Amino acid sequence: MPRVRSSWEVPVGVVEELARARADFERGDWSAALTSWLAADPASLTPDDLDSAGAAAYLVGRRDAALDLYERAHEVRLHAGDVPEAVRAAFHLVMICATSGEQSRAAGWLGIAEGLLTEVPVDAVERGYIAFAQMFRSLGRGDLATAAILAETAREAGRRHHDSDLVALGLCSAGRIAIMAGRVADGLALLDEAMTGLLSHGGTPEVFGHVYCTAIEGCQEVRDLARVTEWTSGLHRWCESHPSLVAFTGQCSLHRGQILTGHGAFREAVDEFDSAIERYRAIGSPDAIGQAAYERGEVLRILGDLDAAEASFRLAGESGFDPQPGLALLWTVRDEPRAAAGAASRLLAEVRAPLQRLRVLPGIVEVLIACGDVEVARACSSELDSLAGEFAFDTVRADAASAAATVEIAAGDPMGALPYARKARAAWTRLENPYAAGLAQATIGRVLLVLGDESSARVELEAARAAFLRLGASPAADAVDALLGRSQAARPGGLSEREVEVLGLAAVGRSNQQIAEALVISERTVARHLSNIFTKLDVGSRTAAAAYAYEHGLV
């Protein structure tokens, strides 16, 4: 008579497969571990296996699988009477749902976890994890005071239980909340402490990535680019060391794109933002898609690819991220001042928190100047200067100086603009931001022209123009050309700088797609440029336009 296997016995081969999955997970091969766990008989998985498999699924971007595995872990733990661990599984479900935009589902799991706390010891570490989850609910309500108390509760629970994960989460959250409350120095100190402890004592991969990204975002808010650069580099190394990792790689690409933008590597930045959008889509994170799309739109606007920029801004809006003031700046270029002014006015009324004002004010000043509202622009510039004194970072000071120079020129006071423009150029040069430094240098040249110092002005403008051309920032180069007297009429056929680039590539046989790839613009924009070229040159074909290019030395 065949032997009947009891419910708790597992065949030797399955035991070996599970052991291999656990070993793969511990060494960071989460994809292989998950494959083994998912292939195993569900009845053979221990509660610990279900927890680890849920973590692995989350790390490799399998959100639905992660939710299913953690739900099973919660059910098994609850059925076995292990309420504290059931609460821990519910915590993971809350966090996954919250970070993927399923707020109602996150609230449901948080309610379940809170209900179970009556069966958990008063001093259990799980109470600290639920306090951390409750903190997000308070932040959503705008209750910073309660959120700060809950973050401290989580941190203290972690310290009592020597739980480095919870300590890092609590510290990092307390740092972000302090920054939101205007206590920037205190907040950055807490972020430093969280990062130092994490790097010294380690932590689970999901907490490691979460703390890294949270700290970087906090520093990005206050424009502390030194910390952003340092920690993004560390996050990138960590992501690169785990080839199967998907979670957090979107944030890594986003932050790398922001750094590349600051250094004027615009084409590389677009690639990183594209990567971020793709990775965020893979894990179902619409809010994050919106931010990456906005950043991409800003770079494309600088490069002069307005159609693609507008598409990016619209994607940002569709994903829940306000596309202003970037879209308003684009409208000023397209001669839509009423739309741009309306957006700027709405932003000023709607955005009240200092950190958010810090982000939007530089763009609002530009929009208002373009729309002729100098007095409101001056008020915004003064507010930005006050924020620069409060936050005391070089980037904020540079933004404030640039805005003040722009306002003084528009107000008809070139001599008053000059010291601000010089201060801005020096600051942006120290920060290794060649585009912003070029804008400040062009402003200096413009002021010198007005003051009658034409020779000095030409030196400044020529240098700014060369910088813009190296960066591919054609609109800025065209603006300098106008100041130098190199208007479009001065070029063969009245072509713009970008049109000369497109014509040169078309003349040597490049297709529209190849031109678009070379100049990092859309094929639709290439077609529009070619149409304009044909009209200006009065030619009817690509061949005739190419002949014109060779005749006039444009190739």
Side-chain angles (χ1 to χ4, degrees):
M1 183 174 179
R3 179 174 178 267
V4 178
R5 178 163 59 91
S6 64
S7 60
W8 61 82
E9 289 183 284
V10 180
V12 174
V14 175
V15 170
E16 293 174 348
E17 184 65 21
L18 292 178
R20 184 159 49 250
R22 294 162 191 159
D24 286 338
F25 181 81
E26 288 302 319
R27 70 166 183 269
D29 192 349
W30 303 307
S31 181
L34 180 63
T35 298
S36 297
W37 274 316
L38 292 180
D41 180 354
S44 69
L45 301 184
T46 68
D48 286 345
D49 284 330
L50 290 169
D51 282 332
S52 296
Y58 173 72
L59 291 166
V60 300
R62 299 277 301 277
R63 187 188 67 89
D64 290 343
L67 290 171
D68 177 65
L69 288 159
Y70 276 125
E71 285 179 5
R72 286 164 56 192
H74 173 78
E75 182 180 349
V76 169
R77 300 281 195 188
L78 208 56
H79 183 72
D82 190 351
V83 177
E85 288 296 337
V87 169
R88 186 79 70 101
F91 165 78
H92 289 298
L93 289 162
V94 171
M95 298 307 297
I96 294 172
C97 292
T99 55
S100 58
E102 293 187 84
Q103 300 304 326
S104 59
R105 192 174 180 184
W109 276 109
L110 181 55
I112 290 171
E114 289 172 327
L116 291 173
L117 287 181
T118 58
E119 302 177 47
V120 172
V122 174
D123 194 43
V125 69
E126 284 74 22
R127 289 183 178 272
Y129 278 98
I130 298 308
F132 179 78
Q134 291 169 329
M135 176 203 66
F136 283 98
R137 183 172 60 193
S138 295
L139 286 176
R141 295 170 177 169
D143 187 353
L144 290 184
T146 301
I149 292 170
L150 291 167
E152 181 60 25
T153 299
R155 177 172 63 161
E156 284 304 313
R159 284 177 171 167
R160 286 196 308 273
H161 292 273
H162 307 288
D163 187 323
S164 59
D165 274 2
L166 192 52
V167 169
L169 290 171
L171 277 170
C172 196
S173 299
R176 286 294 300 278
I177 293 167
I179 290 173
M180 291 176 190
R183 296 182 288 107
V184 176
D186 293 342
L188 291 175
L190 288 167
L191 293 181
D192 284 340
E193 186 180 347
M195 292 297 296
T196 300
L198 190 71
L199 294 172
S200 298
H201 306 299
T204 59
E206 55 269 44
V207 169
F208 195 88
H210 176 81
V211 171
Y212 245 124
C213 293
T214 302
I216 293 168
E217 288 162 7
C219 295
Q220 185 74 39
E221 284 178 334
V222 296
R223 310 294 298 280
D224 182 358
L225 298 189
R227 282 184 173 89
V228 169
T229 301
E230 177 185 347
W231 291 346
T232 298
S233 177
L235 177 63
H236 178 65
R237 288 194 300 271
W238 181 68
C239 289
E240 289 286 294
S241 68
H242 296 91
S244 64
L245 180 68
V246 174
F248 313 116
T249 56
Q251 291 97 315
C252 186
S253 288
L254 172 64
H255 297 314
R256 280 172 58 80
Q258 291 168 331
I259 292 169
L260 288 166
T261 299
H263 291 309
F266 295 132
R267 291 175 175 82
E268 293 86 345
V270 169
D271 289 341
E272 288 290 351
F273 294 135
D274 284 341
S275 176
I277 291 169
E278 180 182 343
R279 292 172 185 276
Y280 284 139
R281 280 184 174 139
I283 62 173
S285 187
D287 291 346
I289 290 173
Q291 184 178 2
Y294 179 84
E295 301 276 4
R296 183 179 185 273
E298 283 286 74
V299 174
L300 292 168
R301 179 179 61 81
I302 290 170
L303 292 172
D305 193 349
L306 301 187
D307 291 338
E310 184 170 11
S312 281
F313 288 136
R314 295 202 181 283
L315 173 59
E318 291 164 3
S319 303
F321 190 92
D322 191 344
Q324 302 295 355
L327 185 55
L329 287 166
L330 186 149
W331 287 336
T332 64
V333 177
R334 287 189 161 163
D335 197 25
E336 300 178 48
R338 289 185 61 186
S345 179
R346 188 265 301 170
L347 273 182
L348 286 174
E350 179 183 1
V351 178
R352 307 308 306 168
L355 288 179
Q356 280 66 49
R357 302 278 286 185
L358 197 65
R359 181 183 75 83
V360 301
L361 280 173
I364 287 176
V365 170
E366 286 189 56
V367 170
L368 292 171
I369 292 297
C371 295
D373 197 341
V374 178
E375 289 311 308
V376 177
R378 184 184 294 282
C380 292
S381 174
S382 296
E383 181 183 351
L384 189 56
D385 188 60
S386 296
L387 289 172
E390 179 181 347
F391 290 98
F393 288 107
D394 285 345
T395 311
V396 184
R397 293 192 185 104
D399 275 333
S402 294
T406 302
V407 168
E408 294 305 326
I409 290 174
D413 185 6
M415 190 61 76
L418 192 56
Y420 289 118
R422 293 194 190 281
K423 179 180 179 181
R425 181 178 64 176
W428 290 123
T429 300
R430 284 195 305 273
L431 291 165
E432 299 181 351
N433 187 321
Y435 179 71
L439 290 176
Q441 190 163 27
T443 299
I444 292 171
R446 182 180 172 187
V447 169
L448 294 175
L449 276 178
V450 174
L451 294 175
D453 188 357
E454 294 187 8
S455 296
S456 297
R458 184 165 292 276
V459 171
E460 301 288 354
L461 292 171
E462 289 280 7
R465 179 179 182 275
F468 294 143
L469 291 177
R470 284 195 302 272
L471 298 172
S474 296
D478 288 343
V480 174
D481 274 347
L483 292 172
L484 285 167
R486 291 181 182 144
S487 64
Q488 291 185 359
R491 293 194 190 93
L495 300 177
S496 71
E497 187 73 32
R498 178 63 91 185
E499 288 165 351
V500 168
E501 291 178 321
V502 170
L503 177 57
L505 292 170
V508 296
R510 299 284 186 90
S511 67
N512 283 16
Q513 180 180 350
Q514 290 170 326
I515 295 171
E517 291 172 354
L519 299 180
V520 195
I521 58 179
S522 67
E523 288 188 58
R524 179 181 170 187
T525 299
V526 172
R528 178 168 54 80
H529 282 313
L530 286 171
S531 176
N532 291 339
I533 289 167
F534 291 171
T535 299
K536 289 180 180 181
L537 302 185
D538 193 23
V539 297
S541 69
R542 206 179 185 100
T543 302
Y548 183 97
Y550 279 103
E551 289 171 7
H552 291 82
L554 300 180
V555 180

